[in-house]
Amino acid sequence: MSITVHQFACLSDNYGYLVRDDATGLAACIDTPDAKVILSELDKLGWKLALILNTHWHADHAGGNDEIKAATGCEVIGPAEVERLSPVDRKVSGEDMVQLGETTFQVIESGGHTLQHVAFYSAENHTAFVGDTLFALGCGRMFEGTAPQMWESLQRLAALPDDTKVYCAHEYTASNARFALSVDADTALKARTDEIFDKRSRDEWTVPSTIGLEKATNPFLRAPILRPDLVPHEAFAALRTAKDNFKG
Ligand code: ZN
Ligand code: FE
């Protein structure tokens, strides 16, 4: 069934997402960067929260779980690693399905940033919530996983249909764009970064993007094209290291 996505800024550069299944009115919160902001957005919308869907265990993604569950009685669903921070009612991993009213989310294993990171994908709504795995023109740092694992995760997301909307968890796009321009001279990238700098100068959001746009312009997904001298996961690793050291 159809969904409505409500996006709002949280903390310094996170996005909060509330998703409503239009048929039943039930809502889910994708990650919990800031309990107070999320509860106040829910209140404004008048939506009933049924689920928290966590992508990974970091505090800017699961730190609001306890307060939101206490206030709403919602169910907490996420990878087992979230229990490093707070209790999870239902633990999920790749290939699991999560139901929000009449809407189905497929859990996509996307480890690398953290070991058990997951994304939530609704095929019928062409929508993926990807946490800190794939960013607009970027990707998450590998805090826990290896380059081959992160590369596999990015390939799983890149295999989704081109028109899939990509809702990532941070507004890192301008910084990602500066790095992308330093490693790739492609004209599609140049056009996209012009638009990004323009939007950010007006404090506008650059998220969501789409899988098609990321495949065409994201240097991490283009790693094998940018570094044909290396096997793909090594090409990816070389770019990730360059980004970790990039000052710009
Ligand atoms: Zn994170
Ligand atoms: Fe994060």
Side-chain angles (χ1 to χ4, degrees):
M1 263 306 291
S2 72
I3 54 172
T4 302
V5 179
H6 176 65
Q7 176 174 355
F8 46 98
C10 266
L11 305 177
S12 59
D13 52 30
N14 280 75
Y15 284 119
Y17 298 112
L18 286 163
V19 183
R20 183 190 62 184
D21 169 61
D22 295 330
T24 61
L26 293 175
C29 178
I30 313 295
D31 285 331
T32 58
D34 187 325
K36 298 235 168 357
V37 172
I38 291 164
L39 289 171
S40 119
E41 292 295 317
L42 269 173
D43 207 45
K44 272 190 258 175
L45 295 163
W47 290 2
K48 175 167 170 30
L49 194 73
L51 305 176
I52 288 171
L53 301 179
N54 287 130
T55 60
H56 65 296
W57 71 273
H58 286 161
D60 62 317
H61 298 262
N65 281 16
D66 294 347
E67 191 177 337
I68 293 171
K69 183 179 167 79
T72 63
C74 68
E75 183 184 9
V76 179
I77 298 178
E81 66 174 25
V82 170
E83 296 217 312
R84 288 159 79 167
L85 213 65
S86 70
V88 174
D89 298 313
R90 181 182 160 206
K91 295 170 187 107
V92 290
S93 55
E95 308 301 311
D96 285 341
M97 296 289 182
V98 171
Q99 205 64 28
L100 174 70
E102 295 183 8
T103 300
T104 304
F105 286 96
Q106 184 187 328
V107 179
I108 300 177
E109 199 261 286
S110 53
H113 174 72
T114 62
L115 283 181
Q116 297 176 347
H117 192 298
V118 296
F120 296 94
Y121 169 56
S122 167
E124 54 190 347
N125 290 288
H126 312 272
T127 295
F129 295 96
V130 300
D132 287 356
T133 300
L134 176 64
F135 290 123
L137 284 182
C139 74
R141 278 178 191 263
M142 289 179 290
F143 286 117
E144 298 178 6
T146 61
Q149 181 187 16
M150 188 71 167
W151 177 248
E152 279 304 307
S153 296
L154 291 170
Q155 291 312 292
R156 239 172 260 125
L157 297 175
L160 298 176
D162 279 357
D163 67 351
T164 305
K165 290 187 280 294
V166 177
Y167 289 92
C168 61
H170 292 271
E171 178 63 61
Y172 289 159
T173 318
S175 145
N176 290 340
R178 286 190 287 275
F179 172 73
L181 288 170
S182 78
V183 293
D184 191 351
D186 187 74
T187 50
L189 172 67
K190 180 72 175 74
R192 186 177 178 196
T193 54
D194 285 348
E195 191 187 321
I196 286 164
F197 295 134
D198 204 47
K199 277 192 171 169
R200 293 308 295 151
S201 74
R202 295 191 302 267
D203 215 27
E204 288 172 21
W205 298 340
T206 64
V207 175
S209 67
T210 65
I211 289 293
L213 190 55
E214 294 311 319
K215 274 171 23 191
T217 54
N218 186 315
F220 296 99
L221 298 184
R222 283 167 52 77
I225 298 163
L226 296 175
R227 292 298 304 270
D229 53 317
L230 300 172
V231 300
H233 72 84
E234 286 169 356
F236 164 72
L239 283 166
R240 187 58 258 177
T241 302
K243 173 70 163 77
D244 290 343
N245 298 319
F246 183 70
K247 312 254 181 283

